[in-house]
Amino acid sequence: MLVFRQLFDLQSSTYSYLLGDRGSGDAVLIDPVFEQVRRDAALVAELGLTLRWTLETHIHADHVTGASLLRQRTGSRIALAAESGAEGADRYLRHDDTIAFGRHCLQVRATPGHTNGCLTYVLDDRSMAFTGDCLFIRGTGRTDFQQGDPQAMYRSVRDHIFGLPDDCLLYPAHDYRGLTVTSVAEERRFNPRLGGEIGLGDFTGYMQNLRLAHPKLLDVAVPANLRCGRPEHDGGAGKTVVDPVGDPAGDPAGDPDWAPLRYSFAGVWEIEPHGLEEHASGVQVLDVREPDEFTGPLGHIRGAILIPLGQLAERAEELSHDRPIVAVCRAGGRSAQATILLQQAGFKDIANLTGGMLRWRAEGHAVEGGSS
Ligand SMILES: N[C@@H](CCC(=O)N[C@@H](CS)C(=O)NCC(=O)O)C(=O)O
Ligand SMILES: [Fe+2]
């Protein structure tokens, strides 16, 4: 069975695609975004997959790839077009190469035009293809920088994409209107730039008059992506010290290290009961249940501060900013929301106790009060 997820980066309107083989657990991720590495790694883990490859459709001009950071974190390998001119990849792809993941594979098609190293990845059964910035939904990638060439793009689309089966689904690297997917038959007929009877001359005329502003990140993104997204300054020991995008707040390389935490795809830092047990002396345990639950049969963790979730927004300042906070409730749901409220209130080091008091007790940790 194929696992398939379409992921979106709001900042750059970029789609990343996770494809996995349920049987072996092997997965590939097409066009990861640097700022989304934490999210994407969390999803891969929650789906029980192992990331084997990150694949680039091209050298992006509008965002930095997450390829290097994912390789550092998950052991995935990096593949992209030999034509791209990038250094530091594990595999350089050419037309007709294949990338296997478990029982599935992607076929590589060279589709230059947006850049000369643009690739389209076609799933083995030709039910879906990932067109990068070559073919968009009722559009195309631009051809006015990075070796852009309207003639090459026209030939790429006509020769290597429009020849796929009518109902082959096409997934682009971007959409700026929120559209998610199209098909070969639709684009062949309705693409306003090169569908129907539109000829090369028409297409070139269209492309020469797009009049788009250059991507804001162009000067940062292209050199970083030519290094597969590896930051220019590496702190050694695999620790990244400089975010290639220059935004430490959005830097997934700087994970909290005050306790062993796991980031969830839901967007919450989680701590396991044994992790809290080990670090209990250095943290504030915040119990967000109702008072009758706090004193009820499940008991509570020694030293826990009780602030019911409904009062947290008003009473957050009763907590110290100097020590990390672990939020606790019955099963880990309300406390997850508590971590979000605390974050909004300006607290920095916050985690949710996974599974709440139920898991805490089930794993044999001590409680105050409660029934045995
Ligand atoms: N406003 C965007 C520009 C995005 C852009 O130029 N995207 C490229 C892909 S890298 C493109 O081909 N755009 C086609 C279009 O916008 O029609 C930014 O600053 O990042
Ligand atoms: Fe692009």
Side-chain angles (χ1 to χ4, degrees), residues 37-370:
V37 159
R38 212 176 248 158
R39 175 198 70 183
D40 296 354
L43 179 62
V44 168
E46 288 179 17
L47 294 176
L49 299 171
T50 306
L51 194 59
R52 298 295 179 196
W53 292 99
T54 59
L55 308 174
E56 303 293 327
T57 55
H58 65 292
I59 298 298
H60 303 279
D62 59 340
H63 67 273
V64 175
T65 172
S68 276
L69 195 51
L70 280 160
R71 175 167 64 184
Q72 184 184 311
R73 289 185 164 214
T74 71
S76 53
R77 285 175 294 167
I78 300 171
L80 81 184
E83 282 294 320
S84 67
E87 55 168 64
D90 299 288
R91 188 173 168 194
Y92 290 93
L93 301 168
R94 296 183 193 281
H95 190 80
D96 276 339
D97 279 351
T98 57
I99 300 116
F101 55 105
R103 292 167 45 144
H104 299 278
C105 75
L106 289 166
Q107 187 207 28
V108 175
R109 297 194 177 191
T111 50
H114 174 63
T115 73
N116 56 5
C118 283
L119 301 178
T120 289
Y121 297 101
V122 182
L123 190 63
D124 41 30
D125 65 0
R126 307 212 298 175
S127 61
M128 43 173 95
F130 303 90
T131 54
D133 287 4
C134 184
L135 190 63
F136 286 167
I137 302 169
R138 304 295 190 272
T140 62
R142 62 198 291 174
T143 52
D144 58 338
F145 57 67
Q146 278 187 301
Q147 323 96 34
D149 176 352
Q151 190 169 340
M153 179 172 276
Y154 188 85
R155 286 269 58 92
S156 290
V157 173
R158 293 285 176 126
D159 297 349
H160 296 302
I161 300 175
F162 281 0
L164 289 164
D166 279 2
D167 57 0
C168 175
L169 296 176
L170 301 177
Y171 292 94
H174 300 286
D175 188 87
Y176 301 101
R177 297 188 292 162
L179 309 172
T180 54
V181 62
T182 184
S183 69
V184 167
E186 273 173 77
E187 293 307 320
R188 222 193 268 129
R189 189 154 162 222
F190 297 116
N191 191 292
R193 299 188 186 182
L194 40 55
E197 295 303 315
I198 297 173
L200 175 60
D202 305 316
F203 179 65
T204 304
Y206 196 132
M207 296 309 284
Q208 280 166 348
N209 290 285
L210 284 184
R211 307 179 67 87
L212 294 169
H214 273 197
K216 290 183 279 299
L217 276 178
L218 182 82
D219 297 336
V220 177
V222 171
N225 290 329
L226 285 168
R227 302 187 302 268
C228 297
R230 189 174 50 79
E232 219 169 351
H233 312 284
D234 209 301
K239 196 150 173 61
T240 309
V241 291
V242 176
D243 176 353
V245 208
D247 171 18
D251 182 358
D255 277 358
D257 56 4
W258 53 269
L261 304 181
R262 184 180 59 80
Y263 187 75
S264 74
F265 187 58
V268 173
W269 286 103
E270 301 276 347
I271 186 165
E272 299 284 321
H274 65 85
L276 174 56
E277 180 86 69
E278 261 167 52
H279 292 82
S281 60
V283 308
Q284 307 169 78
V285 176
L286 168 68
D287 197 314
V288 298
R289 292 175 297 166
E290 298 303 313
D292 60 333
E293 295 178 88
F294 190 77
T295 53
L298 285 178
H300 54 260
I301 295 170
R302 190 176 314 112
I305 304 159
L306 174 66
I307 306 179
L309 185 59
Q311 299 172 17
L312 187 57
E314 294 79 58
R315 295 179 53 193
E317 287 313 317
E318 292 175 28
L319 298 160
S320 161
H321 283 265
D322 300 333
R323 270 184 305 147
I325 302 170
V326 174
V328 181
C329 69
R330 178 178 170 277
R334 283 171 289 171
S335 53
Q337 174 58 11
T339 66
I340 290 160
L341 296 180
L342 289 172
Q343 217 175 334
Q344 289 166 354
F347 288 85
K348 288 280 172 292
D349 293 326
I350 320 155
N352 181 39
L353 179 66
T354 303
M357 289 305 295
L358 291 174
R359 269 271 302 275
W360 178 263
R361 283 182 59 120
E363 295 185 9
H365 298 286
V367 297
E368 247 173 31

